[in-house]
Amino acid sequence: FLRLFSGETVQLDVQEGVTLDLVQLVGDTQQKTESAKMKQEVVLAESTDSGSRHSSKESLVFDKYEEAFEFWIASLGEPPLHLATSLLAMATGHLEQGRPELALKRYEQAFKIKSRSLGDKHPDVAESLNNMAIVYESMGKLDEALTRHEQALWIQVVALGPCHPRVATCLCSLGHAYAKQDNLDQAIQQYEQALEIRLKNFGELHEIVGDTHLDMATILEAAGNLERARQHFSKAKRIFQVYFGVRHERTEVAAKAVERVKKRLLAENERVRPAYLQQIL
């Protein structure tokens, strides 16, 4: 349930355990205006409807939350730092409901709050930039997404050093964005750097290293570098076997990819062999 009470901070539990800290709507400003009195109504919205994940009731929850934040901004100005988390959760909800414009608006607002409060070289600011980049990707604005990913990467390197796991995450995000632009060479370079960092931090048999091998292999296959793709798919398969077991879904995905690439390599060799024989004859 969502309840808006004068002077009270409550919590709103949304599906999958996402918790939003409801902004403390009032203060002296609210007491002095007629519109503020209207905000003291109780709004009931069930957020765990057994039907569709993106039900109209859940949309109502986010719409009322939007009203609450808009009222805060109009009455008291920019929200404080501790409410940036709520903005991020709201943005995620909007994105899941197919409302990228609203998601971007809230991600940008969280970015501004964090930049103002923490400084523009803080790791949390970089994460806000990455969130914005993801929305831009969903909207097909790939140049905007790349710019945000590159800014986030620079901040993480400056703040945490070039070998921090968060830097590897930024590199993977940047690589994914390059891949969506069909700039596969650049994408591979980012994943290679991310893999090197993750190997140093987690070792050869960690789940996240397996994920990196898998993602990198997928791009290598798309680029036509089948032998390298096979090698990385095979490493991902081995890691997932150790980490999850032979029959796990992720192990099976990697195993199928290995077999698929092997077949492509065999077919390619069969095409090349007759031409080679003709040359030597």
Side-chain angles (χ1 to χ4, degrees):
F1 294 102
L2 172 62
R3 296 178 182 271
L4 308 184
F5 284 112
S6 174
E8 180 178 331
T9 300
V10 298
Q11 287 187 331
L12 167 64
D13 293 324
V14 184
Q15 290 181 359
E16 298 185 351
V18 177
T19 300
L20 307 180
D21 296 324
L22 182 61
V23 63
Q24 188 173 355
L25 291 174
V26 294
D28 293 338
T29 305
Q30 189 179 19
Q31 302 291 335
K32 296 176 182 177
T33 62
E34 189 65 28
S35 62
K37 293 179 183 178
M38 296 174 62
K39 288 296 178 179
Q40 296 178 19
E41 64 178 330
V42 176
V43 182
L44 300 177
E46 296 179 9
S47 60
T48 55
D49 183 63
S50 59
S52 171
R53 177 178 177 179
H54 305 317
S55 66
S56 60
K57 292 182 179 180
E58 186 174 330
S59 296
L60 176 61
V61 169
F62 282 101
D63 288 343
K64 292 300 179 182
Y65 215 167
E66 282 291 327
E67 290 178 18
F69 269 100
E70 290 297 340
F71 179 79
W72 174 288
I73 294 168
S75 301
L76 304 174
E78 285 295 318
L81 177 61
H82 72 274
L83 291 178
T85 302
S86 296
L87 286 166
L88 294 175
M90 287 171 62
T92 301
H94 287 315
L95 192 60
E96 290 178 350
Q97 292 180 26
R99 300 193 283 189
E101 293 82 5
L102 277 174
L104 184 60
K105 179 181 178 181
R106 292 312 178 195
Y107 277 137
E108 287 176 339
Q109 196 168 22
F111 166 73
K112 290 177 182 177
I113 294 170
K114 289 184 176 183
S115 296
R116 185 186 67 240
S117 301
L118 303 173
D120 58 6
K121 295 183 179 65
H122 194 279
D124 287 354
V125 174
E127 289 193 2
S128 291
L129 284 165
N130 265 331
N131 289 333
M132 291 160 61
I134 291 169
V135 180
Y136 277 123
E137 284 183 35
S138 74
M139 298 168 71
K141 298 181 179 181
L142 299 181
D143 289 338
E144 294 281 358
L146 277 173
T147 298
R148 300 306 187 281
H149 281 311
E150 289 168 349
Q151 291 172 338
L153 175 61
W154 180 82
I155 292 172
Q156 298 285 34
V157 170
V158 170
L160 302 172
C163 296
H164 194 277
R166 284 194 183 186
V167 173
T169 300
C170 281
L171 285 165
C172 288
S173 297
L174 184 58
H176 180 264
Y178 275 125
K180 292 191 76 171
Q181 275 196 334
D182 291 327
N183 191 342
L184 300 183
D185 290 339
Q186 277 288 347
I188 291 167
Q189 287 182 29
Q190 310 311 313
Y191 276 104
E192 286 174 338
Q193 294 179 59
L195 179 61
E196 183 179 351
I197 293 170
R198 285 175 169 172
L199 284 169
K200 288 179 180 178
N201 282 277
F202 302 107
E204 294 184 355
L205 296 178
H206 195 279
E207 169 192 7
I208 198 169
V209 174
D211 288 337
T212 313
H213 279 300
L214 189 66
D215 292 340
M216 186 173 168
T218 301
I219 297 173
L220 285 164
E221 183 182 6
N225 195 334
L226 299 181
E227 179 54 33
R228 283 194 67 198
R230 183 195 65 77
Q231 293 171 10
H232 285 283
F233 277 133
S234 296
K235 290 178 180 179
K237 173 187 172 183
R238 175 172 171 263
I239 292 168
F240 293 154
Q241 283 177 336
V242 173
Y243 211 85
F244 298 111
V246 177
R247 296 186 179 181
H248 192 273
E249 179 182 1
R250 290 165 76 177
T251 306
E252 292 178 353
V253 167
K256 289 178 181 178
V258 171
E259 295 305 313
R260 181 181 67 245
V261 173
K262 280 183 177 179
K263 289 179 181 179
R264 290 187 62 186
L265 281 167
L266 286 172
E268 189 175 271
N269 289 336
E270 289 299 321
R271 288 195 301 270
V272 172
R273 189 177 300 166
Y276 172 73
L277 290 174
Q278 283 183 350
Q279 287 179 0
I280 63 176
L281 293 175

